[in-house]
């Protein structure tokens, strides 16, 4: 409602939340013809779950803690994470939203510069393309 003209919207998050509301909201933004880009920001530890020692994990949002034995939790965690990421990518593809995975061990500016360079190339090709009369 706040954005009345077509705009580029960049969403940066770990998206480690239920995706139903996001799917609906992206659909609304796509219907309004906004250019939406998702930067899915994850830590390598979240992607690889390379923990070796039992540890107490704390949910940063709820504060709940859980003691885990990594060797027992790894396969289930990685499977659920992959399903979640695949669903997020599918939602983005369905809504025409660009998806980019960004790892926190890589400088954010590299991802942003790459994104902007790709976009600049796309814009330059559109401007250089000859127009044909209908």
């Amino acid at each position: 409602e706040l954005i009345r003209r077509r705009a580029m919207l960049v969403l940066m998050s770990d998206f480690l939340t239920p995706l139903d509301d996001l799917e609906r909201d992206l659909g609304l933004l796509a219907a309004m013809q906004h250019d939406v880009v998702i930067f899915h920001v994850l830590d390598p530890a979240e992607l690889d779950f390379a923990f070796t020692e039992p540890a107490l994990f704390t949910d940063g949002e709820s504060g709940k803690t859980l003691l885990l034995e990594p060797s027992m939790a790894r396969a289930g965690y990685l499977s659920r994470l992959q399903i979640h990421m695949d669903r997020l990518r599918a939602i983005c593809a369905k809504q025409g939203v660009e998806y980019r995975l960004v790892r926190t061990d890589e400088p954010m500016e590299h991802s942003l510069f790459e994104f902007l360079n790709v976009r600049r190339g796309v814009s330059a090709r559109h401007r250089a393309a000859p127009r044909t009369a209908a």
Side-chain angles (χ1 to χ4, degrees):
E1 294 176 3
L2 297 175
I3 305 169
R4 302 205 185 278
R5 296 188 346 212
R6 188 172 187 273
M8 175 184 280
L9 304 171
V10 178
L11 307 175
M12 294 182 176
S13 172
D14 61 10
F15 293 99
L16 296 178
T17 184
L19 298 175
D20 295 331
D21 289 343
L22 178 68
E23 183 171 16
R24 183 196 70 233
D25 293 344
L26 289 178
L28 292 172
L29 293 171
M32 295 171 67
Q33 298 184 340
H34 293 300
D35 184 7
V36 183
V37 182
I38 282 183
F39 284 87
H40 190 186
V41 182
L42 293 172
D43 188 275
E46 293 171 305
L47 291 165
D48 305 330
F49 205 81
F51 303 100
T52 57
E53 300 295 322
L56 190 63
F57 290 82
T58 303
D59 183 321
E61 294 176 12
S62 71
K64 292 181 182 178
T65 59
L66 181 65
L67 179 62
L68 286 179
E69 169 58 50
S71 63
M72 295 179 71
R74 182 174 293 111
Y77 167 82
L78 290 174
S79 174
R80 287 190 303 276
L81 178 64
Q82 190 61 54
I83 289 167
H84 187 80
M85 291 175 67
D86 289 346
R87 179 156 182 243
L88 178 58
R89 285 187 193 105
I91 288 169
C92 289
K94 178 181 174 183
Q95 302 299 345
V97 170
E98 185 171 349
Y99 172 93
R100 291 179 169 266
L101 177 62
V102 178
R103 296 172 55 109
T104 59
D105 61 341
E106 299 170 2
M108 177 61 85
E109 60 267 20
H110 290 178
S111 297
L112 293 173
F113 287 138
E114 177 189 344
F115 164 74
L116 292 171
N117 282 332
V118 167
R119 283 298 179 98
R120 187 176 315 143
V122 169
S123 296
R125 282 195 297 276
H126 285 312
R127 284 193 304 267
R131 296 187 181 206
T132 58

